[in-house]
């Protein structure tokens, strides 16, 4: 025993001698990590900037995907376009959003906050780190700051859409080594700061970028105009003409002087093969290979049909109300009567083609999967695409789904490189039409809307008829024959009624951008969400019984509650710096 003790003491003594002589091991850098000094170089700060871009698609936060996806499909469930889909028990957090039961502990609302403010932190970290960089020219500094401010404006913009009073965090607040530094009160309107970021970016960014995905000055101008459009109406629905007047010259500049043109076919805005096209102003970039889908559009992966080749997961179905909105009369939308009668989902039992032969806007079959119609080149859509037909009905979303030529990489077919066109020319055109209705010329507004309708009327872009083959996945295209009775026309009668013109522009906006994640926020910014959505609930609940008894509360449900986690974590000097929306 004495020998063992002596040996142990000797070993400990030797170890103590070694440690007393050399404590360098205590200063070793963690493996796989970078110190502040490591990234305080031009290459390092550019790496941080790429990390900030990663937050744009919503995939840059551990453990999150669809919760904070930039396409906002989860939150568009609160609109009259979309239903949660799948079945009643899947992702109940989304069911609460669909039913206007917004709670501060809802994980989707919580994670949207987390993702956006991690993006803000990443952008601020770029700007702060750049202050320590010595090997960058003045021009390089200006470009890096401009891109970082564009991203910071984008993240804050998304926050301001979600919450009535979010906080704004600048690089002056941000200290990477001080967790207390970003506990900034949400006691001020942040629109002026968002506008300042986009304006600063627009003044520096080039008109073109050599690397796809980086914003141009045109993109910054477009988002600056969008920020003003979101302030263009008061909560009671009246126009804020001052903000609309500010937006007007920016929109006109983009339309008249920018390098953008409408694509010939509407569907070209939703295909992998036609990403970053002439209509695109800023896209959320996705990438995928056979090795990895980490940079893909995984955030909307759940919103795919519940049939091969996808097999998961059935979320994000289409409301009957939206399907009905595509009906036409004399080629024009049925602005006030569209929801009086339903477009049915019935098919001929022999041919399996749709039995509905009423006139429709051709954009319907690029936006909605409906029985008897070819679904994005894969197969003829039938109700076997739907996980639970009795729960969420027969219609499904499709714009975000990649075409067959881009399917099957990355280990899961639902992942694709189908970019999300976050800003494009048709948005600029219809925003300008909105402005012309309120503070300009109704006839100019009519001409702008007709540009959009003329493109939609291009027969080369019509979905073709397809007949079913012997096997479920087989079909034959009937050349020269459209899949439905497509009937769309331009407005030829002069617009003299401002109320009618306003309704026509807003209806066109719904048709053009349906299921792209904008509808709920459009209703919010126009100040008409309560009227529209309560009327929608009355009609849609006749088809979807789980919506019966639900209502949209004016003055409350236009925005989501600030997550309770964010409030709890904002405590500084014994009190939270964030305060909850009084409506909650």
């Amino acid at each position: 025993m004495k020998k063992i003790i002596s040996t142990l003491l000797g070993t400990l003594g030797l170890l103590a001698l070694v440690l007393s002589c050399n404590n360098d091991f205590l200063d070793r850098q963690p493996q796989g990590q970078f110190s502040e000094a490591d990234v305080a170089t031009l290459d390092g700060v550019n790496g941080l900037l790429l990390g900030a871009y990663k937050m744009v698609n919503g995939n840059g936060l551990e453990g999150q995907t669809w919760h904070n996806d930039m396409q906002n499909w989860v939150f568009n469930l609160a609109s009259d376009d979309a239903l949660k889909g799948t079945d009643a028990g899947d992702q109940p957090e989304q069911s609460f959003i669909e039913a206007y039961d917004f709670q501060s502990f809802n994980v989707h609302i919580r994670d949207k906050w987390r993702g956006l403010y991690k993006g803000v932190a990443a952008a601020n970290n770029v700007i702060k780190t750049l202050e320590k960089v010595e090997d960058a020219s003045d021009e390089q500094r200006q470009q890096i700051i401009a891109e970082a401010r564009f991203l910071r404006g984008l993240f804050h913009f998304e926050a301001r859409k979600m919450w009535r009073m979010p906080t704004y965090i600048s690089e002056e607040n941000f200290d990477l080594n001080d967790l207390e530094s970003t506990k900034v009160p949400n006691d001020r309107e942040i629109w002026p700061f968002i506008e300042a970021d986009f304006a600063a970016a627009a003044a520096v960014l080039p008109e073109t970028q050599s690397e796809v995905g980086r914003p141009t000055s045109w993109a910054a101008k477009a988002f600056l105009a969008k920020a003003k459009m979101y302030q263009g109406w008061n909560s009671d629905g009246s126009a804020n003409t001052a903000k609309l007047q500010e937006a007007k010259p920016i929109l006109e500049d983009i339309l008249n002087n920018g390098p953008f043109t409408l694509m010939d076919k509407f569907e070209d805005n939703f295909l992998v093969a036609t990403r970053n096209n002439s209509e695109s102003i800023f896209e959320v970039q996705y990438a995928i290979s056979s090795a990895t889908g980490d940079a893909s559009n995984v955030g909307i992966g759940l919103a795919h049909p519940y049939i091969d080749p996808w097999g998961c997961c059935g979320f994000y179905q289409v409301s009957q109300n939206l399907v009905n909105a595509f009906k036409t009369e004399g080629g024009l939308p049925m602005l006030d009567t569209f929801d009086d009668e339903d477009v049915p989902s019935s098919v001929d039992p022999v041919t399996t083609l749709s039995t509905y032969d009423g006139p429709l806007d051709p954009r319907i079959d690029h936006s909605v999967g409906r029985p008897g119609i070819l679904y994005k080149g894969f197969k003829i859509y039938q109700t076997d695409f739907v996980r639970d037909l009795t729960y969420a009905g027969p219609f499904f979303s499709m714009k975000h789904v990649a075409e067959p030529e881009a399917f099957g990489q990355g280990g899961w077919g639902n992942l694709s490189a189908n970019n999300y066109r976050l800003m494009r020319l048709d948005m600029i055109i219809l925003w300008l039409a909105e402005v012309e209705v309120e503070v300009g010329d109704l006839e100019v507004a009519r001409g702008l809307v007709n540009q959009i309708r003329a493109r939609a009327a291009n027969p080369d872009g019509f979905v073709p008829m397809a007949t079913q083959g012997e096997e479920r996945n087989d079909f034959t295209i009937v050349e020269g024959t459209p899949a439905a009775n497509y009937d769309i026309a331009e407005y030829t009668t002069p617009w003299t009624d401002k109320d009618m013109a306003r309704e026509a522009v807003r209806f066109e906006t719904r048709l053009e951008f349906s299921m792209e994640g904008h509808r709920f926020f459009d209703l919010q910014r126009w100040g008409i969400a309560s009227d529209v959505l309560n009327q929608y609930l009355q009609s849609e609940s006749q088809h979807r019984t789980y919506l019966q008894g639900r209502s949209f509360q004016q003055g409350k449900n236009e925005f989501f509650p600030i997550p309770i986690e964010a409030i709890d974590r904002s405590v500084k000097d014994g009190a939270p710096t964030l305060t909850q929306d009084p409506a909650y």
Side-chain angles (χ1 to χ4, degrees):
M1 178 65 72
K2 289 182 179 179
K3 184 175 181 180
I4 294 173
I5 293 174
S6 298
T7 303
L8 178 59
L9 290 174
T11 302
L12 292 175
L14 178 61
L15 179 60
L17 178 63
V18 171
L19 295 181
S20 66
C21 296
N22 185 359
N23 289 328
D24 289 347
F25 83 102
L26 295 173
D27 299 323
R28 290 178 182 172
Q29 295 294 327
Q31 296 297 307
Q33 298 185 26
F34 295 98
S35 69
E36 290 183 67
D38 290 332
V39 295
T41 64
L42 182 58
D43 287 342
V45 80
N46 274 315
L48 293 177
L49 183 59
L50 290 178
Y53 277 107
K54 176 63 176 175
M55 291 308 304
V56 173
N57 66 17
N59 296 345
L61 195 59
E62 186 68 25
Q64 291 181 228
T65 52
W66 64 92
H67 298 192
N68 56 295
D69 181 68
M70 183 61 80
Q71 301 193 41
N72 282 323
W73 65 273
V74 168
F75 303 103
N76 201 43
L77 296 177
S79 78
D80 50 353
D81 280 5
L83 302 167
K84 188 198 78 169
T86 182
D87 60 32
D90 205 349
Q91 294 292 328
E93 298 89 349
Q94 295 182 22
S95 294
F96 286 117
I97 292 172
E98 183 181 27
Y100 308 106
D101 186 3
F102 303 159
Q103 299 292 338
S104 62
F105 51 79
N106 187 300
V107 297
H108 294 298
I109 298 172
R110 178 201 71 186
D111 288 350
K112 186 68 173 180
W113 181 283
R114 284 183 177 183
L116 291 176
Y117 281 100
K118 182 178 177 181
V120 169
N124 281 327
N125 192 32
V126 169
I127 298 172
K128 292 289 284 189
T129 301
L130 186 62
E131 295 173 359
K132 306 171 186 177
V133 173
E134 298 179 354
D135 60 333
S137 67
D138 289 343
E139 182 180 0
Q140 289 170 327
R141 291 178 188 277
Q142 291 174 5
Q143 292 296 320
I144 291 170
I145 291 173
E147 290 186 39
R149 291 196 68 176
F150 174 90
L151 295 175
R152 186 173 69 187
L154 178 60
F155 296 129
H156 280 112
F157 185 100
E158 287 293 308
R160 185 58 182 83
K161 285 164 52 181
M162 286 285 297
W163 297 284
R164 204 182 318 264
M165 285 292 288
T167 185
Y168 180 88
I169 302 172
S170 72
E171 79 276 10
E172 295 176 356
N173 307 123
F174 181 84
D175 183 344
L176 185 64
N177 299 308
D178 181 4
L179 296 178
E180 304 287 287
S181 65
T182 54
K183 294 180 178 181
V184 179
N186 59 331
D187 57 359
R188 57 184 177 174
E189 176 58 74
I190 72 169
W191 281 123
F193 303 101
I194 295 170
E195 288 192 27
D197 274 337
F198 288 134
V204 174
L205 290 172
E207 291 192 355
T208 60
Q209 290 275 18
S210 59
E211 293 182 318
V212 65
R214 294 186 187 271
T216 64
S217 60
W218 295 113
K221 290 177 184 179
F223 280 96
L224 176 59
K226 184 177 181 179
K228 294 179 184 296
M229 293 300 295
Y230 266 74
Q231 301 168 75
W233 282 267
N234 302 309
S235 59
D236 64 359
S238 61
N240 181 346
T241 57
K243 279 297 173 184
L244 296 176
Q245 290 282 18
E246 290 177 15
K248 186 176 182 181
I250 306 173
L251 295 168
E252 289 174 331
D253 181 32
I254 297 169
L255 180 60
N256 297 327
N257 302 314
F260 312 104
T261 57
L262 291 176
M263 295 293 288
D264 291 336
K265 295 187 292 185
F266 177 67
E267 68 172 332
D268 284 340
N269 288 311
F270 316 110
L271 300 175
V272 176
T274 49
R275 296 176 297 170
N276 302 304
N277 58 48
S278 66
E279 190 169 342
S280 176
I281 299 175
F282 186 76
E283 297 189 11
V284 180
Q285 303 290 323
Y286 297 115
I288 194 166
S289 70
S290 59
T292 179
D294 290 346
S296 70
N297 64 347
V298 63
I300 203 164
L302 298 187
H304 283 68
Y306 203 69
I307 189 176
D308 72 278
W310 308 280
C312 180
C313 295
F315 285 88
Y316 207 40
Q317 288 186 235
V318 176
S319 69
Q320 181 72 58
N321 185 280
L322 175 59
V323 173
N324 293 344
F326 285 97
K327 293 189 300 183
T328 63
E329 186 173 45
L332 296 177
M334 302 168 66
L335 301 181
D336 299 315
T337 60
F338 74 93
D339 206 30
D340 290 354
E341 294 183 10
D342 291 338
V343 175
S345 60
S346 56
V347 297
D348 185 285
V350 176
T351 66
T352 71
L353 297 176
S354 173
T355 59
Y356 183 75
D357 60 1
L360 293 168
D361 186 308
R363 285 172 290 188
I364 185 173
D365 293 324
H366 292 298
S367 308
V368 179
R370 60 189 186 97
I373 308 296
L374 184 63
Y375 184 90
K376 208 147 188 178
F378 277 94
K379 66 177 76 175
I380 296 175
Y381 184 99
Q382 302 295 354
T383 54
D384 53 4
F385 274 55
V386 175
R387 186 171 187 173
D388 186 345
L389 183 64
T390 62
Y391 175 65
F395 306 112
F396 207 86
S397 53
M398 67 186 301
K399 283 181 175 178
H400 59 279
V401 176
E403 65 272 28
E405 294 79 4
F407 173 84
Q409 299 180 9
W412 185 31
N414 294 24
L415 306 184
S416 78
N418 199 7
N419 287 357
Y420 178 49
R421 282 71 161 178
L422 183 56
M423 181 67 70
R424 57 182 199 256
L425 185 61
D426 53 353
M427 296 174 182
I428 301 299
I429 291 171
L430 287 176
W431 285 332
L432 186 55
E434 290 183 32
V435 172
E436 291 289 353
V437 168
E438 306 298 337
V439 298
D441 188 324
L442 295 183
E443 281 296 273
V444 173
R446 181 170 70 92
L448 292 165
V449 170
N450 280 341
Q451 287 186 44
I452 301 300
R453 296 186 65 77
R455 189 261 296 277
N458 179 5
D460 292 339
F462 291 176
V463 173
M465 178 181 285
T467 58
Q468 182 64 53
E470 292 186 6
E471 300 295 331
R472 179 66 184 89
N473 292 342
D474 294 339
F475 63 88
T476 300
I477 298 290
V478 181
E479 297 292 344
T481 303
N485 178 14
Y486 299 133
D487 185 17
I488 183 171
E490 297 179 27
Y491 288 95
T492 57
T493 301
W495 283 2
T496 57
D497 183 331
K498 189 173 183 178
D499 291 337
M500 173 270 166
R502 181 185 302 113
E503 188 176 5
V505 173
R506 290 176 176 177
F507 207 95
E508 196 70 29
T509 297
R510 185 185 190 188
L511 299 178
E512 184 79 358
F513 307 116
S514 66
M515 301 302 289
E516 294 185 49
H518 305 298
R519 175 64 174 173
F520 176 75
F521 300 106
D522 281 338
L523 296 174
Q524 172 206 91
R525 70 185 177 90
W526 290 328
I528 62 172
S530 177
D531 290 342
V532 171
L533 294 177
N534 280 315
Q535 185 175 354
Y536 156 74
L537 287 168
Q538 289 180 12
S539 66
E540 197 69 22
S541 61
Q542 297 175 30
H543 307 284
R544 313 275 69 83
T545 57
Y546 65 86
L547 291 175
Q548 291 178 3
R550 301 296 183 180
S551 64
F552 181 99
Q553 186 173 336
Q554 188 174 12
K556 178 179 181 179
N557 293 140
E558 289 87 355
F559 295 93
F560 297 91
I562 293 177
I564 190 64
E565 177 190 85
I567 295 174
D568 290 344
R569 291 185 174 183
S570 75
V571 172
K572 187 176 183 180
D573 299 327
T577 56
L578 294 178
T579 57
Q580 185 57 274
D581 185 330
Y584 293 92

